[in-house]
Amino acid sequence: MFSGIIEAKSKVLEFKPLDPEYPQNLVRIQVAKPTTFNDIKTGDSIAVNGICLTVEKFNDEWVQFALGHETLKIANWNEKTLSACELNLERSLRIGDRVHGHFVTGHVDGRAEVMKSYDQGGSWMLDIKIPANIAAFVWPKGSLALNGVSLTINSIEKDILGFCLIPETVQRTNLASLKPGDSILVEADQMARALVRRETLNELN
């Protein structure tokens, strides 16, 4: 479980398919280890662009993760897409931690398309087009995780959501580097999902 408050940005150092002929099946990546991640151990969970991954190995320079078929498919991750971007990293929550964002599981629902991304007097404005499977879980001032970042939904126009990023979010995350046409990973708020699920079950009964 995560809070959507990004701790560091990092780059992929190595991308190694288990079988080079079928790179969509299983891939191991090594990500540059942030200097502040000095308490991790094998088996820990780290959110990488919002996807919960398990630490396989690490040293002072890198952290290694395995990417399964489902992760590669949902995230559209391959050597080209991963090598071209910085990744948002967050260690899992500890019991007793303050939750400064909202509860994020690291189980992303899919990808949204960036429609607009621009500076507006010091705030960074971001508009995204969400996939249909997310629509029931969003409303103005609700929460959504984008590339693992906990954000508040400012506006909704059909399937276009608007967000306003403060300077701290711009500096700490990779969101301001996105351009129109880029894809971004989305995870719906779990409380919103539970509420919609309960209402659906009530209607069926």
Side-chain angles (χ1 to χ4, degrees):
M1 188 69 72
F2 308 91
S3 69
I5 304 300
I6 302 306
E7 298 183 280
K9 291 183 287 187
S10 189
K11 297 282 268 184
V12 171
L13 302 177
E14 191 167 71
F15 183 97
K16 298 188 298 184
L18 184 67
D19 184 344
E21 291 189 16
Y22 300 96
Q24 72 277 14
N25 289 336
L26 180 68
V27 169
R28 284 190 167 88
I29 62 171
Q30 290 180 353
V31 175
K33 180 176 177 287
T35 56
T36 54
F37 282 30
N38 53 16
D39 63 346
I40 64 172
K41 59 184 182 297
T42 301
D44 279 0
S45 294
I46 295 178
V48 179
N49 260 22
I51 296 180
C52 180
L53 299 179
T54 300
V55 176
E56 286 193 328
K57 297 179 181 178
F58 67 94
N59 61 23
D60 290 340
E61 304 297 327
W62 48 259
V63 184
Q64 179 174 295
F65 306 97
L67 310 178
H69 174 75
E70 181 70 8
T71 298
L72 293 166
K73 180 179 71 172
I74 289 179
N76 192 34
W77 278 353
N78 53 52
E79 188 168 13
K80 181 180 178 180
T81 57
L82 281 176
S83 63
C85 67
E86 283 188 308
L87 299 170
N88 294 328
L89 302 185
E90 181 193 351
R91 288 168 292 184
S92 61
L93 290 172
R94 293 173 293 196
I95 294 174
D97 281 352
R98 292 187 178 93
V99 181
H100 297 285
H102 71 280
F103 285 121
V104 177
T105 65
H107 304 153
V108 301
D109 294 287
R111 301 188 304 275
E113 181 183 355
V114 176
M115 307 302 290
K116 294 181 180 179
S117 181
Y118 59 95
D119 177 76
Q120 182 170 296
S123 296
W124 196 271
M125 311 306 291
L126 183 67
D127 289 357
I128 66 168
K129 182 177 181 179
I130 57 170
N133 65 316
I134 303 295
F137 309 124
V138 301
W139 48 76
K141 307 310 175 185
S143 297
L144 202 67
L146 302 181
N147 277 2
V149 183
S150 173
L151 294 174
T152 300
I153 302 165
N154 284 355
S155 63
I156 301 178
E157 294 290 339
K158 296 184 179 179
D159 57 355
I160 306 297
L161 307 186
F163 300 87
C164 178
L165 312 182
I166 62 172
E168 178 69 11
T169 304
V170 171
Q171 179 181 357
R172 187 178 288 266
T173 75
N174 61 16
L175 297 184
S177 66
L178 297 169
K179 305 179 296 297
D182 287 346
S183 65
I184 188 170
L185 298 177
V186 182
E187 181 189 327
D189 178 25
Q190 296 304 305
M191 288 190 288
R193 189 190 304 280
L195 177 63
V196 170
R197 175 63 173 167
R198 186 182 70 178
E199 294 300 316
T200 300
L201 291 176
N202 287 341
E203 290 175 5
L204 292 175
N205 293 331

